[in-house]
Amino acid sequence: MRTTVRDVLSKAGEEPITMLTAYDAVTAEIVDERGVDVILVGDSVGNTAHGHETTLPVTVDQMADHTTAVARGAEDALVVADMPFLSYGHDDKESIENAGRMLKEAGAHAVKLESGPHTVELTEKLSHLGIPVMAHLGLTPQSVNQQGYALQGTSEEAADRMLELAAAHEDAGAFSLVLERVPAPLAARITDALEIPTIGIGAGPDCDGQVLVVDDAVGLSDWTPSFVEEFGNVREAMGDAIESYTEAVESGEFPGAEHSEGVEELDELY
Ligand SMILES: Nc1nc(=O)c2c([nH]1)NC[C@@H]1CN(c3ccc(C(=O)N[C@@H](CCC(=O)O)C(=O)O)cc3)CN21
Ligand SMILES: CC(C)C(=O)C(=O)O
Ligand SMILES: [Mg+2]
């Protein structure tokens, strides 16, 4: 059964909400089959699949393409499309059209925006138009040129501001809130203060759910932020398989007779 925004909203399960990113159909299938509640088509695709240093170069077209692939692969999970840098926030018409594409064209069920004072009204508009919005506070990687990748909410003022912004986005209609790289006690305080669920990444154990970049979680990335746990070693498994392939080709073991086809009637011809 498809996870819905209402399921996420209800915080119904006693178990924390699980969210992972995916950027392609096959990964979405695997993540979906293993029962992950929410798949985020993250703009982290700029780092993982496209090899950029930051998420800033990612385009709306790229996000729509990756979201289309993920929506084809996911059966049960709620699919959330991340809105890329400068695709929202400066012009309502453009923001709404870009977010609308993710649902109309690409098959997402909701969008995520990196939130700030400038996204409160937009969150309200999108929600009213039928586009569910996941908010995102704390470390917001699209603001890397202002924040770096440092822990956020480390002063009393910054913590209070984050709590106020979280409440403002809840009031504006956001259905959930990602908290990235904030002190665990602040994430707990925000989680307590809100009705909508919080989903943490580097935000401690007291959020209503957790999210990681799938490449990091399965051990595919060559570097991960310090808040990541690698639950597998896919990079090594893939490297070993690739090395076995090259060895088998170079030694002449592959392809064998079982991989080769002929046409019996033509045997004499060859
Ligand atoms: N593979 C991947 N995983 C992610 O979690 C991720 C992405 N890509 N791309 C988009 C953003 C960027 N994120 C980041 C990027 C860097 C740090 C980082 O450098 N953290 C350092 C500390 C840096 C500092 O304190 O200034 C660390 O040690 O974790 C953290 C999160 C999270 N997101
Ligand atoms: C890390 C998550 C929250 C994200 O925004 C992304 O993957 O782009
Ligand atoms: Mg993102």
Side-chain angles (χ1 to χ4, degrees):
M1 265 239 306
R2 173 78 72 182
T3 303
T4 64
V5 163
R6 287 177 59 206
D7 295 331
V8 172
L9 259 173
S10 73
K11 294 188 184 181
E14 282 126 54
E15 288 181 339
I17 297 159
T18 55
M19 178 157 108
L20 277 175
T21 67
Y23 315 105
D24 59 74
V26 65
T27 309
E29 270 171 36
I30 298 168
V31 169
D32 187 86
E33 276 166 15
R34 297 301 178 122
V36 169
D37 300 313
V38 184
I39 298 181
L40 173 68
V41 189
D43 63 344
S44 50
V45 72
N47 303 90
T48 58
H50 294 271
H52 292 299
E53 283 282 325
T54 70
T55 58
L56 305 197
V58 175
T59 67
V60 176
D61 284 346
Q62 286 173 332
M63 290 309 302
D65 276 354
H66 287 289
T67 301
T68 302
V70 166
R72 287 190 190 120
E75 231 173 81
D76 294 335
L78 184 82
V79 176
V80 180
D82 226 358
M83 297 307 298
F85 183 52
L86 298 188
S87 68
Y88 60 97
H90 58 301
D91 176 67
D92 275 356
K93 185 168 178 285
E94 204 175 312
S95 306
I96 290 164
E97 279 168 7
N98 287 335
R101 274 186 70 185
M102 299 305 161
L103 274 73
K104 288 183 79 156
E105 226 179 81
H109 307 110
V111 299
K112 180 167 80 58
L113 314 180
E114 291 188 9
S115 308
H118 64 300
T119 58
V120 176
E121 272 184 38
L122 179 60
T123 297
E124 185 160 23
K125 284 197 176 122
L126 291 170
S127 304
H128 280 160
L129 289 168
I131 301 177
V133 175
M134 180 178 279
H136 180 166
L137 290 169
L139 194 174
T140 46
Q142 291 171 17
S143 303
V144 60
N145 290 302
Q146 289 153 329
Q147 292 183 342
Y149 293 118
L151 187 70
Q152 297 296 303
T154 53
S155 69
E156 203 180 324
E157 298 93 305
D160 289 346
R161 245 192 340 264
M162 202 184 299
L163 180 59
E164 272 170 35
L165 266 179
H169 283 79
E170 168 169 292
D171 290 345
F175 77 93
S176 57
L177 168 68
V178 167
L179 289 173
E180 179 163 354
R181 207 148 193 244
V182 303
L186 174 57
R189 189 174 146 214
I190 294 174
T191 301
D192 267 351
L194 296 189
E195 296 282 333
I196 60 171
T198 58
I199 302 179
I201 171 165
D206 295 323
C207 295
D208 299 299
Q210 295 292 327
V211 57
L212 284 177
V213 165
V214 71
D215 300 49
D216 298 345
V218 303
L220 180 59
S221 303
D222 63 351
W223 178 88
T224 63
S226 54
F227 51 69
V228 166
E229 170 79 19
E230 293 178 297
F231 295 91
N233 201 339
V234 171
R235 195 180 180 94
E236 194 171 308
M238 201 161 158
D240 288 349
I242 289 166
E243 199 175 306
S244 299
Y245 164 74
T246 54
E247 281 169 9
V249 170
E250 284 165 3
S251 70
E253 273 168 68
F254 179 82
E258 70 273 35
H259 309 113
S260 308
E261 294 171 278
V263 181
E264 235 173 78
E265 305 86 77
L266 298 183
D267 268 357
E268 294 153 32
L269 263 174
Y270 298 109

